Amino acid sequence: NKGNYEHYMQKEIHEQPESLTTTMRGRLLRGGSSKAKSVLLGGIKDHLKTIRRSRRIVFIGCGTSYNAALAARPILEELTGIPVTMEIASDLLDRQGPIYREDTTVFVSQSGETADTLQALEYALENGALCVGITNTVGSAIARNTHCGVHINAGCEIGVASTKAYTSQIVVMAMLALAIGSDTISSQARREAIIDGLFDLPSKVREVLKLDQELKDLANLLIAEQSLLVFGRGYNYATALEGALKVKEVSLMHSEGILAGEMKHGPLALVDETLPIVVVATRDACFSKQQSVIQQLHARKGRLIVMCTKGDAASVCVGGACRVIEVPRVEDCLQPVINIVPLQLLAYHLTVLRGYNVDQPRNLAKSVTTQ
Ligand code: UD1
Ligand code: M6R
């Protein structure tokens, strides 16, 4: 049921304030006068000790689910102190990469049925690793076959392009970081700030959704382009990859997410007056580096669309004309949840304007159950 919306993708983008609320329901404890704020993930609480003792955390997934894990990786590393590595499920299988008994492997999948991810799970089970699932589908193969896990509870997602599952996955993995790191006293203040940020997140997503018309206008400008680049780094490298994935899979426009730190190692050669480039430059520890990336792209006459924190338009656009998307600021590690929304809206509007099938892009299936 699409309700008042024309497409499931549109509905699912706009219901993110609610889906995020259900994802967090019953899992954030506000703390009392003497009790600290904390996180309770019922599905993994009995395994936290084992996870804390593991030598490595390995995230495994495909497509958007992989990107969500990439967005959460920095906060996992920060709060747990455990090395976190990333695996695209098919690539882990192609290489038969090393997985050990001392590893915690985390399988991220909206459907819980993706063939590559499921096969990687069998492989990790054979190798004796602790297997944790992060799925949206109760009773799915990945939920059943993992040792423990967390349901993201985002509600049924119908559009082939994953939107609300992505933001709920990031939130669950941020909560996972909080839960694993909860025995470290020195990061208590940081954890409480993130929990406060989680409580505020649905209202901030509601705020960023108000940019809908602005993104439709931008889509109108880009309708006939061949390609769109998206630059990001740090917490928002994932935003670049996921934004580009959304644009290419539904609007059928070539798009590539680029790690901004790699700009001079190749991508800079593409820059000219015509190719549109989105640069994610919201406030965090990487902000000044992104400012310098913007200046260098300006110097090559790049056609820039800068995503920045509300109020920063003037400071990100010095010395050149550029279009700006201003988004509300949240705790740095949660910013990817906000920043993906304008790119989801852009992909959606581009698709409608270009006349393609929004909910069932050509050649794609919602759940990829064959290899
Ligand atoms: C559970 C109930 C929820 C109830 C709540 C009350 C279910 C599905 N969830 O939520 O309805 O309101 O208790 O306390 O009945 N699991 C995996 N792999 C996965 C995902 C989950 O093994 O990929 C396992 C978990 O380890 C857990 C169970 O499935 O044993 C349910 O997980 P989850 O729904 O996340 O647990 P709760 O949030 O505690
Ligand atoms: O169900 P899963 O999360 O395992 O699916 C993984 C990918 O197939 C999926 O995210 C795909 O990339 C989406 N179409 C992206 O929007």
Side-chain angles (χ1 to χ4, degrees), residues 24-236:
M24 294 186 279
R25 184 165 294 142
R27 291 168 165 174
L28 294 181
L29 309 176
R30 272 185 191 276
S33 47
S34 61
K35 281 189 81 186
K37 295 182 182 108
S38 61
V39 159
L40 177 72
L41 296 173
I44 55 151
K45 66 177 191 328
D46 297 335
H47 295 80
L48 283 176
K49 273 197 184 137
T50 318
I51 299 174
R52 285 186 191 124
R53 276 200 304 264
S54 55
R55 295 259 292 273
R56 180 171 72 143
I57 295 172
V58 186
F59 277 121
I60 302 168
C62 305
T64 290
S65 292
Y66 174 90
N67 292 342
L70 189 66
R73 178 195 203 178
I75 195 61
L76 252 296
E77 289 177 332
E78 180 191 327
L79 293 183
T80 71
I82 304 171
V84 180
T85 62
M86 301 292 310
E87 293 285 357
I88 289 179
S90 65
D91 187 48
L92 175 67
L93 293 166
D94 290 346
R95 292 174 5 254
Q96 297 282 295
I99 296 289
Y100 302 111
R101 296 182 63 82
E102 299 79 12
D103 288 332
T104 292
T105 49
V106 183
F107 295 84
V108 188
S109 174
Q110 188 285 129
S111 63
E113 303 289 349
T114 300
D116 288 319
T117 312
L118 197 50
Q119 206 181 318
L121 168 58
E122 280 162 28
Y123 175 74
L125 287 169
E126 281 162 20
N127 285 279
L130 176 71
C131 296
V132 181
I134 294 181
T135 54
N136 194 29
T137 318
V138 178
S140 62
I142 290 170
R144 280 185 278 113
N145 296 337
T146 40
H147 296 118
C148 61
V150 187
H151 290 115
I152 67 168
N153 300 337
C156 187
E157 189 182 65
I158 293 169
V160 165
S162 184
T163 53
K164 64 175 180 168
Y166 177 72
T167 48
S168 284
Q169 286 167 335
I170 297 175
V171 161
V172 162
M173 288 182 268
M175 292 195 292
L176 180 67
L178 291 164
I180 302 171
S182 64
D183 61 339
T184 308
I185 291 159
S186 58
S187 52
Q188 178 71 25
R190 168 74 160 147
R191 288 198 304 275
E192 298 215 3
I194 296 169
I195 293 173
D196 287 339
L198 286 168
F199 277 118
D200 282 349
L201 204 52
S203 70
K204 293 292 164 83
V205 172
R206 205 163 282 128
E207 204 178 314
V208 73
L209 282 166
K210 292 185 186 144
L211 298 177
D212 192 39
Q213 184 60 45
E214 204 178 298
L215 273 308
K216 189 175 177 183
D217 296 343
L218 179 61
N220 249 310
L221 288 179
L222 299 178
I223 184 169
E225 295 302 331
Q226 299 278 339
S227 180
L228 176 72
L229 300 186
V230 190
F231 279 58
R233 73 195 311 148
Y235 293 113
N236 289 290

